[in-house]
Amino acid sequence: MSSSPPPADRPQYTADQLRNALHDFYGGVDSSSAETCGHIYGHGDPHHEMSMLQKITATTMLNYDGRIASSGGGSGGPPPLVDELLERASEFHANHGPMLPLHEIVRGKSPCMALAAEFKRASPSKGDIAPHLDAGDQAGVYFEAGASVISVLTEERWFKGGLADLTSARLST
């Protein structure tokens, strides 16, 4: 499988736009230093290319900013604001229990091995893996197979996930 380009309705960003988004994450070009942002430029390597993780992070930030600016013009409408996400999380925890303590779950398996499973429909390097899978169903399969923890990728562009996947996986396990 090869990585496929993003759909035409997804914005494409230049390397400078991506670097600037990462600089903004670190407080802006004026506030960031070589110590905090040197990795963005490969610590002076003129042939440096951003890592895929850097590209995904910067693209997610730019997409989010674009959705806020267009207030509903994107494919998914305006993104939820932090306060709204916190309220949703609070309601979910009230109805379904608190977040599960990863460290305690893994330590509780000692001296045996704890198995971590990962749910993703696609990846930047492999393209589509299993875009048809339901996160809840797959999480149930992983749980029944003995997974101690399940990672659910919620990034939309390259991993084809969403917050609904995380909810579905939690409710299924």
Side-chain angles (χ1 to χ4, degrees):
M1 293 182 194
S2 64
S3 180
S4 56
D9 65 334
R10 301 283 180 136
Q12 299 295 309
Y13 302 108
T14 67
D16 284 340
Q17 288 174 306
L18 296 173
R19 280 189 207 94
N20 289 339
L22 292 177
H23 266 295
D24 288 346
F25 180 73
Y26 287 104
V29 175
D30 295 334
S31 300
S32 58
S33 67
E35 196 171 290
T36 57
C37 292
H39 63 286
I40 297 171
Y41 298 100
H43 299 286
D45 176 3
H47 304 292
H48 172 73
E49 290 187 27
M50 294 174 71
S51 72
M52 195 64 207
L53 181 57
Q54 289 172 322
K55 290 176 185 176
I56 290 170
T57 301
T59 299
T60 300
M61 292 165 51
L62 290 167
N63 286 348
Y64 190 84
D65 289 346
R67 284 177 62 191
I68 288 174
S70 69
S71 15
S75 60
L81 300 176
V82 173
D83 289 344
E84 182 184 344
L85 289 173
L86 290 172
E87 178 62 29
R88 284 190 207 172
S90 179
E91 289 173 14
F92 186 88
H93 296 151
N95 293 324
H96 304 288
M99 286 190 289
L100 303 175
L102 176 64
H103 189 262
E104 290 177 26
I105 291 169
V106 173
R107 281 209 124 166
K109 294 292 182 179
S110 181
C112 296
M113 178 178 69
L115 175 65
E118 180 176 77
F119 175 79
K120 63 181 172 184
R121 292 187 181 92
S123 80
S125 62
K126 301 292 183 192
D128 285 355
I129 296 170
H132 62 283
L133 286 183
D134 177 85
D137 292 344
Q138 193 63 36
V141 169
Y142 290 157
F143 179 77
E144 292 297 321
S148 304
V149 295
I150 302 169
S151 169
V152 179
L153 280 84
T154 60
E155 192 278 331
E156 298 171 358
R157 185 180 196 137
W158 284 282
F159 295 101
K160 297 187 178 177
L163 290 177
D165 291 332
L166 190 59
T167 301
S168 178
R170 171 69 188 272
L171 294 176
S172 296
T173 56

